[in-house]
Amino acid sequence: MKEKTDSILLSHGSGGSLMHELVRDVFIKHFDNAILGLENDAAVFKASNSNIAFTTDSFVVDPVFFPGGDIGKLAICGTINDLVAVGAKPYCLSAGFILEEGFPLKELERIVANMATIAKLAGVFIAAGDTKVVEKGKCDKIFINTSGIGVFPEANVPLFSKKTIKPGDQIIINGFLGDHGMAVIAARNELEHAISFQSDCAPLNLLLGELLKVDLGIKFMRDPTRGGLATTLCEICEGLDIGIKIFEDKVPVRASVQGLCDLLGFDPLYVANEGKMLIVAKKGSEQNLLSKLRKNPLGRNAAIIGEVISENKGLVTLQTSIGGTRIVNMLSGEQLPRIC
Amino acid sequence: MNWLEGYRSRELCEALAMEICRLATRPMRFMEVCGGHTRAIRKFGIPSLLPETISLLSGPGCPVCVTGRAFIDQAISLSSQEDTEVCTFGDLIRVNGNHGSLEKARAEGKQIRIVLSSLDAVEHAKRNPEKKIVFLGIGFETTAPGTAAAILKASRDGIGNFSVLSAHKLMPPAMEGIISEGIPIDGYICPGHVSTITGTRMYQPIVENFKIGCVISGFEPLDLMHSILMLIRQVLNDKPKVEIQYARAVKPMGNPEAQRMMYEVFETADEWWRGLGFLKNSGLKPKHKYYEFDARKVFDIPTFKETDPKGCICGEILKGLKTPHQCKLFARTCTPVNPVGACMVSTEGACQTWFNYEGKN
């Protein structure tokens, strides 16, 4: 199915099906090579005898400051998490800034200081940077691009690959879904004082760093950011000879996040996260992994939410909380606030 | 009862499903006329719990779906005028008119802003006196009082740069229109939000004139299962009536204050419904007293023709005559990102809910 448009729409940045079309039909079409074609969160390649992970990401968020974080914290955590998703240990990052004329210096310094604090906490350093200033109105306050390099210190742990996923494998998430997206929505609509949660934005090497040093049966990981859990599960299924079944009553969502979603017409399965990792684990290894995740504050609410099945190939299905069954599709466009 | 968990109780839903299976020994067709119900029914997988004898049809209950293409053209035309900004609820921006959508117009630089309420648009007008702010008033009895409140506030506060392009609609004429066409329906699952405003009286003619039962339902799965069971009992007893399942929110008299505001500002007018055409006295336009807030009086807006896109069967889907899977465009050229028909635009439209929750085939 092809989603045709003549120009770039906001929906092209939503992380959903339109963005996938854009990446495949424009970027991969022209940039294609064996490493990029794998479409992993970070590229993994050999440099001398060691595997290296390399990734880049750009960050735009409105508002720049939100409950639980800001654009700088997001930029550092997002790139770290992309490296962690392929099993690498984040080593160093670059940071490029595009600043709009008139942006308050105090706010820039607050953002940069937060970036430094979170980088230090996560054990990475900023190795390179760049700054450009554009005329007022040519960008929205501040855009940040971060690239990151990660290394694989333990040579005996197998590299993750989607192709190893088999029926019976278990789907694990490390905690509550939708906190980041709804915290930003709340701040955007000046509802932040009415919410009891904040963005989950966090560097996940603090949760997974030690676990990735040994083979615990993890086969594949991806951080469900834009497009949320649903889109990430659809990405995993795409092109594979398997289906994924998840159980609504096992998917952790805070009542307050669910309430705000219900109010605005959003589905938490599609809301962005910035401190979550979706793990596909070999059958039999899930309980051990779960108990290890739960020992860490970033994984305290980890849960097994589903399993890989041999039926419904290429599809994600959901058993609803009342026992019904339905399809879970990739996010189409942006989630829009509903009328009533 | 805890609203979030209690109304989604698996045990109670299973018990209701068992009772529905026991009673529904012959085919029955129930129509929901609320987009929120359409979405909830598919999102919770309710059809997978029902026996084959029960068919749930999606009626003209999604405000976006029933909005005509000419209205979108008018809104785009307004956004092209100098110093004019159009404020809309988010669902509407992807609906195609005859000349593109508001989303595409926004990408071309036209001034189009998504708001969460009509009062946000008034506040926006207050903060930007140099601009003319036009709010797109769509929706049924649920949203019309909100638009009326916005006009009253603008009037009270002397905000002269705010106006409304109204395509507000009233639900009973559409419900009666469908039955009048002879479409076989055994009962209506009536809109909960609309009924909180209107109360039960407006459904009485449907029961009396057409002998079709009406159950006003809530939006949680237990509400919907319970409403289906109530309709089945009405059919089996051959005693159609208006019943309130959603008693925690709906009172028989509705919300008199909201009704007062709505009819203080608006009067009924003939209105175009996608799929149903013009229905007499089915729309709301600002009264003469509030003409300065009526975009149709403030601006010189060109007229556009109402047309249906080629191959699109939204009209038949909205009447419950066909399902989205029977449309040749469904999930091929018509998708939520690039909707051909309006039923694919909103998350509460029949086609989009099928696309999202029932699969593409």
Side-chain angles (χ1 to χ4, degrees):
Chain A
M1 180 184 46
K2 198 160 170 68
E3 318 267 28
K4 280 187 183 162
T5 59
D6 300 328
S7 52
I8 293 293
L9 304 175
L10 275 180
S11 304
H12 279 108
S14 65
S17 58
L18 204 59
M19 196 173 98
H20 280 79
E21 298 271 346
L22 181 73
V23 169
R24 194 178 61 214
D25 295 348
V26 179
F27 298 121
I28 291 183
K29 179 179 150 193
H30 291 284
F31 294 153
D32 195 23
N33 58 58
I35 294 171
L36 191 64
L38 291 173
E39 294 184 46
N40 282 330
D41 281 353
V44 180
F45 52 90
K46 281 236 192 281
S48 294
N49 284 327
S50 309
N51 282 314
I52 295 284
F54 179 50
T55 189
T56 189
D57 211 341
S58 297
F59 295 84
V60 295
V61 62
D62 174 33
V64 171
F65 297 95
F66 48 83
D70 60 52
I71 189 170
K73 185 179 178 188
L74 209 57
I76 300 289
C77 295
T79 293
I80 285 175
N81 293 348
D82 282 347
L83 294 170
V84 175
V86 295
K89 180 186 178 199
Y91 182 67
C92 66
L93 307 184
S94 72
F97 296 83
I98 296 175
L99 305 169
E100 186 186 24
E101 180 187 21
F103 187 66
L105 204 54
K106 259 191 178 172
E107 290 191 12
L108 176 64
E109 190 162 357
R110 190 173 148 201
I111 290 166
V112 173
N114 285 343
M115 288 172 79
T117 305
I118 203 79
K120 192 175 174 190
L121 182 72
V124 295
F125 62 98
I126 314 296
D130 178 53
T131 307
K132 296 281 184 292
V133 178
V134 295
E135 285 172 47
K136 196 160 185 68
K138 300 281 169 150
C139 85
D140 188 11
K141 299 181 191 77
I142 174 171
F143 298 161
I144 303 178
N145 172 274
T146 42
S147 297
I149 290 176
V151 293
F152 294 84
E154 308 301 326
N156 56 342
V157 177
L159 290 175
F160 301 151
S161 166
K162 230 171 91 158
K163 289 176 183 165
T164 62
I165 298 174
K166 287 193 170 54
D169 289 345
Q170 300 289 296
I171 311 290
I172 298 172
I173 190 80
N174 62 306
F176 291 112
L177 289 168
D179 291 7
H180 172 73
M182 294 322 288
V184 171
I185 293 280
R188 194 176 295 166
N189 294 292
E190 295 169 7
L191 298 168
E192 67 265 46
H193 301 300
I195 63 172
S196 58
F197 57 88
Q198 55 183 26
S199 167
D200 60 348
C201 187
L204 290 177
N205 58 339
L206 299 182
L207 169 69
L208 292 158
E210 289 303 310
L211 305 188
L212 294 175
K213 288 182 178 170
V214 283
D215 183 4
L216 290 171
I218 298 174
K219 289 187 167 185
F220 189 77
M221 296 203 296
R222 178 153 285 183
D223 54 337
T225 52
R226 285 168 304 161
L229 175 78
T231 305
T232 302
L233 288 168
C234 292
E235 286 168 354
I236 292 173
C237 262
E238 209 170 48
L240 293 186
D241 211 21
I242 49 122
I244 290 178
K245 183 177 188 179
I246 55 169
F247 304 94
E248 189 173 39
D249 52 7
K250 298 202 172 144
V251 176
V253 179
R254 290 179 206 280
S256 46
V257 168
Q258 182 71 57
L260 190 57
C261 282
D262 283 349
L263 193 68
L264 297 174
F266 289 1
D267 184 340
L269 291 183
Y270 292 91
V271 175
N273 311 279
E274 289 295 343
K276 293 294 161 318
M277 193 63 78
L278 188 77
I279 302 169
V280 183
K282 191 177 167 184
K283 189 172 173 56
S285 66
E286 68 274 12
Q287 291 302 341
N288 179 32
L289 201 51
L290 196 63
S291 66
K292 285 189 161 56
L293 288 170
R294 284 181 173 166
K295 282 179 189 154
N296 187 302
L298 293 172
R300 186 173 295 135
N301 298 296
I304 299 166
I305 58 168
E307 61 188 10
V308 178
I309 54 175
S310 53
E311 304 86 45
N312 298 322
K313 290 181 172 55
L315 281 180
V316 180
T317 50
L318 174 104
Q319 188 181 91
T320 68
S321 54
I322 61 165
T325 302
R326 69 161 167 92
I327 302 282
V328 176
N329 251 334
M330 201 173 265
L331 176 64
S332 299
E334 299 168 90
Q335 288 210 92
L336 294 168
R338 66 161 177 241
I339 289 173
C340 64
Chain B
M1 187 183 279
N2 178 316
W3 71 272
L4 203 58
E5 291 168 8
Y7 292 103
R8 296 178 184 182
S9 155
R10 188 169 183 156
E11 291 70 29
L12 290 173
C13 280
E14 281 172 353
L16 282 168
M18 275 177 65
E19 183 64 1
I20 289 170
C21 286
R22 190 180 72 80
L23 292 176
T25 51
R26 62 181 167 93
M28 294 179 205
R29 293 158 54 90
F30 302 130
M31 177 177 273
E32 82 273 358
V33 280
C34 174
H37 285 160
T38 301
R39 183 168 185 245
I41 284 167
R42 306 286 156 186
K43 186 181 168 197
F44 288 103
I46 287 176
S48 70
L49 298 174
L50 299 176
E52 283 182 2
T53 45
I54 301 295
S55 303
L56 297 180
L57 313 171
S58 302
C62 162
V64 172
C65 303
V66 292
T67 301
R69 284 156 74 91
F71 180 79
I72 303 298
D73 294 337
Q74 288 181 329
I76 292 171
S77 152
L78 278 170
S79 72
S80 310
Q81 297 199 16
E82 206 181 335
D83 301 330
T84 304
E85 187 171 356
V86 165
C87 289
T88 175
F89 291 129
D91 309 38
L92 203 62
I93 70 160
R94 281 199 210 115
V95 185
N96 274 316
N98 295 299
H99 306 287
S101 66
L102 290 161
E103 185 181 40
K104 284 175 187 161
R106 187 173 66 175
E108 287 164 10
K110 307 277 166 53
Q111 292 203 65
I112 292 153
R113 181 187 184 85
I114 293 177
V115 290
L116 290 178
S117 84
S118 53
L119 292 171
D120 285 351
V122 177
E123 282 303 316
H124 187 57
K126 203 173 180 176
R127 284 196 300 267
N128 297 277
E130 75 289 356
K131 285 185 183 172
K132 295 169 201 154
I133 305 299
V134 181
F135 175 70
L136 304 183
I138 73 160
F140 305 110
E141 290 89 339
T142 330
T143 52
T147 305
I151 288 178
L152 289 171
K153 181 173 171 55
S155 174
R156 203 170 48 239
D157 296 355
I159 300 169
N161 60 329
F162 173 80
S163 63
V164 170
L165 184 70
S166 175
H168 280 296
K169 293 177 173 58
L170 299 169
M171 189 50 84
M175 293 170 75
E176 290 184 16
I178 284 175
I179 322 170
S180 301
E181 284 196 29
I183 294 162
I185 296 166
D186 296 296
Y188 272 125
I189 299 172
C190 294
H193 289 160
V194 164
S195 309
T196 57
I197 306 293
T198 63
T200 56
R201 201 171 52 188
M202 71 172 188
Y203 304 112
Q204 214 54 48
I206 292 170
V207 174
E208 285 162 15
N209 300 333
F210 301 97
K211 311 291 176 217
I212 286 177
C214 293
V215 172
I216 297 164
S217 178
F219 295 84
E220 294 301 326
L222 202 55
D223 293 323
L224 286 155
M225 297 286 285
H226 187 206
S227 297
I228 292 164
L229 180 62
M230 289 164 80
L231 280 171
I232 291 171
R233 285 182 175 144
Q234 285 192 23
V235 172
L236 293 176
N237 296 330
D238 197 21
K239 280 189 180 160
K241 55 187 165 183
V242 182
E243 285 186 283
I244 303 175
Q245 183 281 330
Y246 196 26
R248 63 188 183 279
V250 176
K251 294 183 172 61
M253 292 305 292
N255 181 336
E257 177 57 18
Q259 292 169 30
R260 189 199 59 74
M261 267 202 297
M262 191 164 85
Y263 286 108
E264 158 65 24
V265 172
F266 291 115
E267 60 190 9
T268 58
D270 298 347
E271 178 67 37
W272 173 271
W273 293 61
R274 185 190 281 254
L276 303 175
F278 272 108
L279 295 176
K280 205 165 173 48
N281 290 327
S282 67
L284 294 170
K285 65 170 186 179
K287 284 179 178 171
H288 184 74
K289 188 178 168 188
Y290 296 101
Y291 268 16
E292 63 186 297
F293 302 103
D294 184 347
R296 288 195 171 84
K297 304 292 173 194
V298 174
F299 295 90
D300 186 18
I301 310 172
T303 41
F304 295 92
K305 208 175 159 190
E306 284 294 2
T307 57
D308 282 323
K310 204 177 167 191
C312 172
I313 61 164
C314 274
E316 287 163 275
I317 291 168
L318 286 167
K319 291 181 205 169
L321 291 171
K322 288 195 173 163
T323 63
H325 283 164
Q326 289 174 293
C327 180
K328 284 181 186 163
L329 308 184
F330 181 77
R332 293 176 184 88
T333 50
C334 184
T335 64
V337 169
N338 199 10
V340 177
C343 295
M344 186 59 93
V345 175
S346 166
T347 51
E348 300 187 347
C351 291
Q352 192 177 133
T353 56
W354 280 59
F355 184 96
N356 288 336
Y357 304 130
E358 296 280 342
K360 294 164 192 168
N361 300 305

